[in-house]
Each structure stands twice: as C-alpha cells, then as structure tokens.
Amino acid sequence: MSRLIDSDEDTPLLRDDASSDDSQDGDYKSRWRSIRVMYFTMFLSSVGFTIVITSLWPYLQKMDGSATASFLGWVVAAYSLGQMVASPLFGLWSNHRPRREPLVCSIFINLLGNIYYAYANLPTANNKFHILLARAFVGFGAGNVAVVRSYVAGATSLKERTSAMAMMSACQALGFILGPALQACLSFIGELGFTVKFIDLQLNMYTAPAILAAAFGLINILLVLLVLREHRVDEHGRHIRAINYNSEDGDDISEETEGTIDQVAVLTSNVLFFMVMFIFAIFETITTPFSMDMFSWTRKEAVVYNGIIMCCIGFESILVFLVVKVASQRVGDRPVFLVGLAIIFCGFFTLLPWGNHYPKIQWADLKNTSLVSQISEATLASNSSLEPTGCPYQQTWCQYTPAIHIAQYISADVLIGMGYAACNVMSYTVYSKILGPKPQGVYMGWLTASGSGARTLGPIFVSQVYTILGPRWAFSLICAMVTGAIVLLSAVYHRLIAFSARHRRTVE
C-alpha cells in the first residue's frame, strides 16, 4: 500500500513541521498502527459474539427447561437490541471526544456482560432472563463497531478505503471463524465441567467461552490505551486535524468540507444493510435448532458440527474478501454488491425442503398423529433420562415437511457465507465513500444501528415463523426479501457513488 501523505502547503496539517520526511514517516506508521488496533478490536468483537452463538440454545435448555425456540430468538435479538441502542450514542461521543473514551467504556461493558453470562446459573429461578440480560449487555458494549469503522474511514484515503474495509471485514470473519472453533475446542470440558470454588464459578462448555471472551476484552482495553492515537486524513491521504483531537497547544485546526451528502443514498444504504443483516441474522439463529430438527443431532453434536461448519464459512469469507478487493477494483463496488445478493438468494433457495424423506419425530414412537395427541407432557417428562432428538412433535409441520439432506445444508451454508461476505464489505465501503470526508461517527452509528435492528428483528421473526409454519415458509419469505433488495439496489444504482465523484472532484 503506497504512502499517500501529501505536503501541499494549502492542506491543514497536524503540526507546523509535518511536511518534513521524518514527521510524515512517523505519522504514517502511527496511523497504521492505530488502524491495526481497530482491526484487532473488530476481531475481538466478532469473537465475543460467535464464541457462544452455537452453544446458546443448548445452554438455554440446560439452564431453564421452560426456554423455547421462540425465546431463543429473543435472546439472540437482545444482543443486537443492545448494539442498536448503543451505536449512535458511541458514534456521537466519538465525534466530539477522543475515541479512546467510548472504546474503553464499551469494551468494559462487553467484558462485564460476558462475566454475567457465565454466572447465569447462580440464580435459583428465571435463569433464561438472566441469560437474555447478559447478552443485552454484551451487545451494548459491541456498539463500538460504529466507532471502529468511522475511525478507519476517517484515517484512510479514498484509494485506501476499500482495502482497509476489506481487511477489517476479514478480521471480523477471522473472529467469526475462531469463535465457533474455540467453542468447539472448549466442548471437551463437557456439560458438567468443574467448579472454581473461590469465585463460585461453574466452568463448563457453555461458560468457559464467555470467560475467554472477557479475557480478550481486557487485552483489547490495554491495546486501545497504549497504542491507539487520533488520526484523520483527507481523500488524498493528507493529514488534517480531527475535530476530536486533543492538542496540548490548544490548536483547533479542522478541515472544512464543501458539498452536501446525498441523503437518499445514505437512506438506501441503511435499508440495504438492514436487509443484508436481517437475512444473515435469520441464518445464524436458525442454524442450531434447524440442524437438530432435520438431522436428529444431540445438543453437543449440534455445537461441535455447527462450530466446524461456521469455521469453514469463516475461512471461505476471508477468501471472498481477497477476491472482492480485486473484483471491486476491476468492475466497481456496486456490481459486486449485486452478485453477492444473487448468491444469497441461491443459498436460501437451496435450503427449501423437497422430496419424500421426512425428519425423525421426537420421540421415535410418536409417528402417528393420533397417538401424539393422546400422550401427555408428564409421560414425556418420565423419559427425561434420555436426551430427546429429532423434530419436536409440538411443531406440527414436522409431520408433513420433508427433511433436507446434509449435502443440501452444507451447500446452502457455503453459498450464504459467500454472498454475505461480499455484501457486508461492500455495504460499508459504499457507505463510507458516500459520506466522504465528513465526520462519520454518527452516520456509522446509524448504519450499525440499522444492522443491529435487523439482528434484533431477524431472530424474532424466524423463531416465530419457523416454529409455527416451518422452513418452507421461512426460507421462501427470505428469498422474497433478497429479491426486494436486488430490485432496490438496481433502482438507486446511479446514486450510490463516492462523495468526491458526486461533487465532480478529481481523485487520482
């Protein structure tokens, strides 16, 4: 990546002697060290979310027998609801104060939320609500994603932007890989685990990942305090004074930018990002219960197998980011976005059940619907020594909806992971270019909030539709939504351009 810091006398600089080679070299190195801290923060944020996602449903069932698949949707949504509330607040904070402040505060809240999650077994009742609150706190702390992305957008030139955003998404994907992988590795501790008496902690395959995520948070706080520095550059890569830069000299030099942001493009970008995140939130929420219903996996098998699948999707995503980086330079960001949506459509279409093979009904002897109605819950409870597997008889669609094949499931996972990776990085890249050199904290906060809103509503939507109507209706509705996203992107295609291109600036 070439050094794009210019020494033009008309450009506002961080220091009077910033035009010297030594100062430029020091600024460049400091800028990229700080950007890499943001990469690491994004990585740890992703790990903190995915490290428990595959075990969340079994943990809920173990902690509180009254937890249902519908309640799982609320628990997954709690994370995103917390993030949706926090993102604009942290974004506004970062626009007016040094970014260290909202970053350290948010990471600390995230750390406390993970500790709370690990201790959710201590209350004697309503454990499922404690798990829900813990995930809400973790999500509130994850609102720093807006700060992270606005920092990287403001600290990179227009030429550096796509590569930086792709690298950030790659770090997010790497966290997406290692989270389920660490969960799978920690599953050897087992459901019982052992008790750390002096802190009264029950350490098992469900709580150990949360404690590890809290330890990662502590490392992240130290990096932000010791390494991160404030940097902001214009579209050519020349240093300017950030409005939230604290100077001991009391200087207040800031960049004046002309022109207005295309609010239609901003709104459309938020809607498209909402749809992309809504679709993927549905996918990550339904993966564990869907696989348990279709393939009769036990709780432990679902955690391990889905963890492995998610790891593979993460590796695939990193490859996609490398391809996207090259493809966007050749054909542009918007065509890559369209192709990504088309691939997601193919993935969910592949998941639609076909054929004459039906899932195993939970329990094995409940194959006759008249027999099902005669057996009481008390009878089922008497068989609790064995873990029930298969599609629960309470979900009536299990009796007439065909099961999908494992190859069908894996193929769909590959396609959805590929399409989502492309759409995710293009969403942020296109959005940051639309905003241009303007302070992006609040705007990125709203984008993150729209994504969090999608992650709030998506799990609730799919848990209700899937439980009541089954996978055919759920996945058909998603296919219709992806089609709508493709139509919307095509309709406003000509407006999703860079700020400088809109104002007829020439960027070499």
Side-chain angles (χ1 to χ4, degrees):
M1 186 175 297
S2 62
R3 301 185 181 183
L4 300 174
I5 300 176
D6 200 320
S7 59
D8 191 343
E9 293 179 358
D10 297 330
T11 304
L13 299 172
L14 224 71
R15 290 286 185 269
D16 292 337
D17 60 348
S19 58
S20 68
D21 292 339
D22 289 342
S23 178
Q24 284 191 350
D25 189 62
D27 285 339
Y28 181 88
K29 289 181 178 178
S30 175
R31 178 164 68 96
W32 280 99
R33 275 197 302 269
S34 297
I35 289 172
R36 290 181 188 112
V37 170
M38 294 295 95
Y39 291 164
F40 190 66
T41 302
M42 182 65 76
F43 165 76
L44 291 184
S45 176
S46 182
V47 167
F49 175 69
T50 60
I51 200 170
V52 300
I53 195 66
T54 57
S55 65
L56 189 55
W57 175 232
Y59 187 45
L60 263 177
Q61 291 178 310
K62 180 180 174 62
M63 288 295 100
D64 197 323
S66 65
T68 63
S70 296
F71 190 79
L72 171 66
W74 287 103
V75 174
V76 176
Y79 176 96
S80 302
L81 183 61
Q83 190 179 49
M84 180 176 68
V85 172
S87 294
L89 300 178
F90 287 133
L92 182 63
W93 188 353
S94 72
N95 267 7
H96 299 283
R97 296 289 299 168
R99 289 181 175 90
R100 275 200 200 93
E101 295 177 10
L103 284 171
V104 170
C105 177
S106 60
I107 296 167
F108 186 67
I109 293 172
N110 189 287
L111 184 155
L112 292 179
N114 278 302
I115 293 174
Y116 183 15
Y117 181 88
Y119 280 97
N121 66 307
L122 288 183
T124 56
N126 297 320
N127 300 78
K128 64 182 182 181
F129 293 107
H130 288 283
I131 293 174
L132 184 145
L133 284 174
R135 293 303 293 166
F137 278 117
V138 173
F140 192 92
N144 61 18
V145 169
V147 182
V148 171
R149 291 198 181 273
S150 68
Y151 181 93
V152 173
T156 53
S157 68
L158 197 61
K159 288 182 178 179
E160 296 169 325
R161 190 78 47 80
T162 300
S163 295
M165 288 295 179
M167 181 59 71
M168 180 168 291
S169 295
C171 291
Q172 190 175 26
L174 187 60
F176 187 77
I177 296 169
L178 291 183
L182 290 170
Q183 170 68 83
C185 291
L186 292 171
S187 64
F188 77 91
I189 300 175
E191 288 192 319
L192 297 178
F194 57 91
T195 302
V196 183
K197 293 184 178 179
F198 74 96
I199 55 174
D200 199 19
L201 173 65
Q202 181 67 34
L203 202 65
N204 53 40
M205 63 184 286
Y206 304 124
T207 60
I211 295 299
L212 185 58
F216 286 155
L218 185 59
I219 295 170
N220 200 180
I221 289 174
L222 293 175
L223 282 172
V224 170
L225 290 174
L226 298 176
V227 181
L228 183 68
R229 297 292 180 269
E230 292 292 339
H231 290 283
R232 189 169 171 234
V233 300
D234 65 11
E235 292 191 346
H236 301 277
R238 298 171 295 201
H239 264 85
I240 57 176
R241 170 62 51 80
I243 61 174
N244 51 5
Y245 177 82
N246 281 355
S247 173
E248 296 178 357
D249 301 329
D251 298 339
D252 187 21
I253 305 172
S254 60
E255 182 193 27
E256 296 294 333
T257 56
E258 296 180 356
T260 58
I261 296 172
D262 185 349
Q263 296 300 331
V264 172
V266 168
L267 179 61
T268 302
S269 297
N270 275 273
V271 171
L272 286 170
F273 188 65
F274 175 91
M275 297 173 83
V276 169
M277 296 305 295
F278 185 90
I279 291 162
F280 193 73
I282 289 173
F283 171 71
E284 65 187 4
T285 301
I286 207 62
T287 295
T288 301
F290 181 61
S291 60
M292 292 173 72
D293 290 346
M294 291 289 117
F295 311 124
S296 302
W297 288 346
T298 64
R299 290 194 296 263
K300 188 170 183 178
E301 287 172 339
V303 170
V304 174
Y305 297 157
N306 282 308
I308 293 170
I309 290 171
M310 290 295 182
C311 287
C312 294
I313 291 175
F315 280 117
E316 174 197 31
S317 298
I318 292 177
L319 295 175
V320 171
F321 293 137
L322 296 175
V323 172
V324 161
K325 181 178 174 181
V326 176
S328 64
Q329 292 174 346
R330 291 180 177 272
V331 301
D333 300 330
R334 295 168 295 174
V336 175
F337 202 162
L338 276 172
V339 170
L341 288 171
I343 293 173
I344 291 175
F345 178 88
C346 293
F348 278 102
F349 188 80
T350 303
L351 273 179
L352 290 172
W354 306 99
N356 298 316
H357 173 68
Y358 294 90
K360 170 191 172 185
I361 304 296
Q362 186 188 118
W363 299 78
D365 56 336
L366 298 181
K367 294 181 180 177
N368 186 295
T369 55
S370 62
L371 181 63
V372 171
S373 62
Q374 298 171 14
I375 296 180
S376 66
E377 295 288 344
T379 306
L380 294 176
S382 67
N383 292 322
S384 60
S385 58
L386 296 174
E387 180 183 340
T389 59
C391 201
Y393 74 93
Q394 297 94 332
Q395 297 177 169
T396 56
W397 58 262
C398 296
Q399 301 170 40
Y400 57 80
T401 301
I404 69 165
H405 298 281
I406 188 68
Q408 199 176 344
Y409 180 66
I410 293 174
S411 299
D413 288 348
V414 170
L415 289 171
I416 293 168
M418 185 186 305
Y420 170 74
C423 291
N424 181 272
V425 68
M426 286 299 102
S427 295
Y428 281 111
T429 302
V430 170
Y431 190 67
S432 66
K433 289 181 178 180
I434 289 170
L435 299 179
K438 304 279 187 180
Q440 297 190 7
V442 174
Y443 279 105
M444 282 294 179
W446 286 119
L447 186 70
T448 303
S450 67
S452 300
R455 295 176 80 113
T456 302
L457 297 176
I460 297 170
F461 164 84
V462 73
S463 61
Q464 298 297 325
V465 174
Y466 176 81
T467 302
I468 298 170
L469 300 176
R472 269 186 176 162
W473 273 96
F475 299 146
S476 295
L477 289 172
I478 296 169
C479 287
M481 183 174 294
V482 178
T483 303
I486 292 172
V487 171
L488 177 60
L489 177 55
S490 302
V492 295
Y493 189 88
H494 64 288
R495 300 192 73 147
L496 302 180
I497 57 176
F499 182 92
S500 57
R502 181 169 176 262
H503 293 280
R504 301 185 183 279
R505 293 182 181 175
T506 304
V507 179
E508 296 180 357

